Amino acid sequence: MMDFYQGQQNLLQQAGRIVESETIPIDQASGRILAQTLSASLDAPAFNNSAMDGYAICGLKSKEWQLIGTVAAGDPQQIKLQSGQAVRIYTGARIPENTDAVIMQENISIIADSIKSTQMPKAGENIRYQGEELHQGDTLLQNGAFLNAQAIGLAAAQGARQLQVYQKLRVIIFTTGDELVSDNSDRKQNQIYDCNRPMLFAELKQHAFIEPIDGGILPDDLDTITTTLAQAASTNHSIIISGGASVGDRDFVKPAIAQLGRIEQWKLAIKPGKPFGWGRIKHCQIMLLPGNPVASFVTFKLLGLPALHNAAGRLQTDALPQSYQAKAAFTILPNQQKRRQFLRGTLRFTDTGPEVQPLIKQGSHMLSGCVQAQVLIDIPAETNIEPGQWLTVYPI
Ligand code: AMP
Ligand code: MG
């Protein structure tokens, strides 16, 4: 069976990338993915300015300077100092010509129309120089950059009012199973409520670069699944389908995809989530998620979502889920599990660093254990775990 990280890499490489883009106002671009490389239109800072409220002085050797005026942020005037002169200056105000330093106001005493410094000023202190951060033409944001609040701030600081972003990725979600119902008046004996679709739909809705579409529940019927997937593949970028992905006689998702397109990979050496797979129907990517809710959730977080980020145009390195290291506060000895496990756990910050502890309810059908979880703990196959050992964890 294929290793998880190998599978994740293959999945990302095989994800088709969106090419369509649109130009939208910057105030609607939060969470979208940039479809252009943005360059600085101005130097940053755009002009020499004061980093402090204080006094701009000319003449480092003087002890006293004659105060000749005031300059505040946004003042249009251009002052020129002579040796022995100073101006009152505020943070962000343009530095007068010939300024040697800005002395912070805390170090100044005022005597009539002169100032004295309690300390020797240093050349250039408290001055923010034009271009010290960015030069005009420097790359601000790369094509494929995720537009978080900081990125939007950076673009706005350069006067950008519109941004070219990738179109939203149309992602349709289906669940399959004759046992599933979504309306509580419909539930018959031995049926269960569909929880994967609301759960995964909720996940999709958190991402501004995705336009989620609810495809509903499909019965365990090959013809219906085949017809529905063919239709969905012609109008969406990605299909997510949960359940029916195993090898039972009533698992029709794989045969349906095989008829319409192809399965690229099926099964990974992970627990939960072994039946995860992916494929393609014409230009549409399709991901098969296990029916068990926890397996569905875990594979969506670690495989489905990175693939969607990648398909949506995001830089490949950024598409992978965030991870960090934390110390085990538990033991698995011996670990005879042949698959890599992703245990649902809690995180605690201690004097010696972050510590993780798996929750008790680890069944792949037990969503309640997942709700309290803060992290997925990566437990490599057949690797003993002892307290204090550093492990990779994924925040959820
Ligand atoms: P399957 O992958 O279709 O064999 O389903 C595996 C298990 O997950 C079975 O117990 C199903 O009843 C359950 N299951 C499948 N889909 C869902 C769903 N959407 N919501 C809740 N449970 C599900
Ligand atoms: Mg089923």
Side-chain angles (χ1 to χ4, degrees):
M1 233 185 303
M2 186 179 277
D3 167 67
F4 166 76
Y5 287 104
Q6 181 66 54
Q8 191 186 50
Q9 205 182 322
N10 293 358
L11 171 63
L12 261 63
Q13 273 161 11
Q14 288 162 3
R17 282 188 157 239
I18 193 165
V19 287
E20 306 101 321
S21 65
E22 59 184 333
T23 300
I24 59 170
I26 194 167
D27 62 2
Q28 287 169 32
S30 173
R32 300 291 295 272
I33 295 164
L34 194 66
Q36 63 181 137
T37 293
L38 212 62
S39 304
S41 58
L42 304 167
D43 287 343
F47 48 88
N48 295 347
N49 69 85
S50 179
M52 291 277 175
D53 288 340
Y55 294 84
I57 55 121
C58 175
L60 290 169
K61 300 226 168 66
S62 313
K63 297 236 165 55
E64 201 174 321
W65 297 267
Q66 189 204 353
L67 211 47
I68 62 157
T70 297
V71 52
D75 276 357
Q77 84 247 40
Q78 298 234 18
I79 299 175
K80 188 168 179 177
L81 296 177
Q82 311 289 337
S83 188
Q85 292 184 329
V87 289
R88 177 82 173 112
I89 195 165
Y90 295 96
T91 307
R94 184 186 193 99
I95 294 287
E97 221 177 299
N98 297 333
T99 298
D100 290 314
V102 171
I103 305 173
M104 56 199 279
Q105 63 189 24
E106 291 84 340
N107 295 341
I108 287 290
S109 51
I110 303 172
I111 305 124
D113 62 351
S114 291
I115 57 162
K116 273 189 168 176
S117 174
T118 53
Q119 278 158 19
M120 273 284 280
K122 286 197 220 62
E125 74 179 353
N126 301 320
I127 299 176
R128 303 190 289 211
Y129 286 100
Q130 176 169 352
E132 72 176 15
E133 182 190 358
L134 293 164
H135 288 112
Q136 189 182 14
D138 283 354
T139 298
L140 277 186
L141 295 166
Q142 283 185 342
N143 189 334
F146 180 70
L147 293 171
N148 56 17
Q150 309 88 294
I152 286 181
L154 184 65
Q158 290 284 332
R161 290 294 163 263
Q162 299 202 311
L163 293 171
Q164 192 186 341
V165 297
Y166 288 104
Q167 270 186 13
K168 288 193 181 197
L169 198 70
R170 274 193 312 279
V171 183
I172 188 161
I173 168 133
F174 295 105
T175 45
T176 68
D178 287 340
E179 75 279 33
L180 303 178
V181 290
S182 59
D183 182 337
N184 61 9
S185 60
D186 285 352
R187 192 170 88 91
K188 301 192 188 70
Q189 182 89 347
N190 303 333
Q191 285 194 308
I192 59 171
Y193 294 119
D194 174 8
C195 69
N196 291 352
R197 204 162 36 96
M199 173 175 70
L200 297 171
F201 199 79
E203 269 285 347
L204 294 174
K205 272 177 72 171
Q206 287 176 21
H207 304 280
F209 64 87
I210 291 174
E211 182 188 333
I213 297 150
D214 185 353
I217 301 172
L218 299 181
D220 289 318
D221 174 74
L222 181 60
D223 286 348
T224 313
I225 294 178
T226 310
T227 320
T228 311
L229 291 186
Q231 165 68 27
S234 64
T235 49
N236 295 286
H237 296 105
S238 283
I239 299 173
I240 291 177
I241 183 160
S242 106
S246 297
V247 282
D249 292 342
R250 312 224 19 103
D251 291 326
F252 296 115
V253 174
K254 278 183 33 247
I257 298 169
Q259 270 186 40
L260 300 167
R262 66 171 191 276
I263 301 275
E264 306 270 10
Q265 170 71 32
W266 178 60
K267 277 198 180 172
L268 295 176
I270 49 172
K271 185 179 175 313
K274 183 173 72 174
F276 182 86
W278 65 92
R280 181 156 289 286
I281 301 173
K282 298 207 176 78
H283 294 298
C284 183
Q285 180 186 45
I286 178 158
M287 288 186 273
L288 290 67
L289 269 51
N292 274 308
V294 178
S296 215
F297 176 78
V298 169
T299 53
F300 180 80
K301 281 285 196 188
L302 297 179
L303 296 156
L305 198 52
L308 295 178
H309 275 279
N310 192 63
R314 198 155 176 193
L315 294 169
Q316 192 139 337
T317 41
D318 292 356
L320 291 171
Q322 297 279 315
S323 66
Y324 50 88
Q325 300 287 305
K327 283 188 199 176
F330 58 98
T331 307
I332 307 182
L333 202 66
N335 178 5
Q336 291 171 329
Q337 181 51 249
K338 297 245 181 301
R339 292 178 269 157
R340 184 183 293 278
Q341 295 181 79
F342 289 101
L343 301 179
R344 281 71 67 204
T346 52
L347 182 74
R348 203 165 67 94
F349 290 93
T350 71
D351 290 347
T352 59
E355 265 187 20
V356 280
Q357 176 77 53
L359 288 154
I360 296 162
K361 294 178 183 170
Q362 290 288 334
S364 68
H365 54 298
M366 297 177 174
L367 260 188
S368 59
C370 225
V371 170
Q372 292 145 38
Q374 294 156 307
V375 288
L376 298 175
I377 313 169
D378 179 343
I379 310 286
E382 297 178 290
T383 305
N384 293 344
I385 307 295
E386 294 187 63
Q389 193 170 329
W390 288 96
L391 299 170
T392 300
V393 301
Y394 293 90
I396 53 172

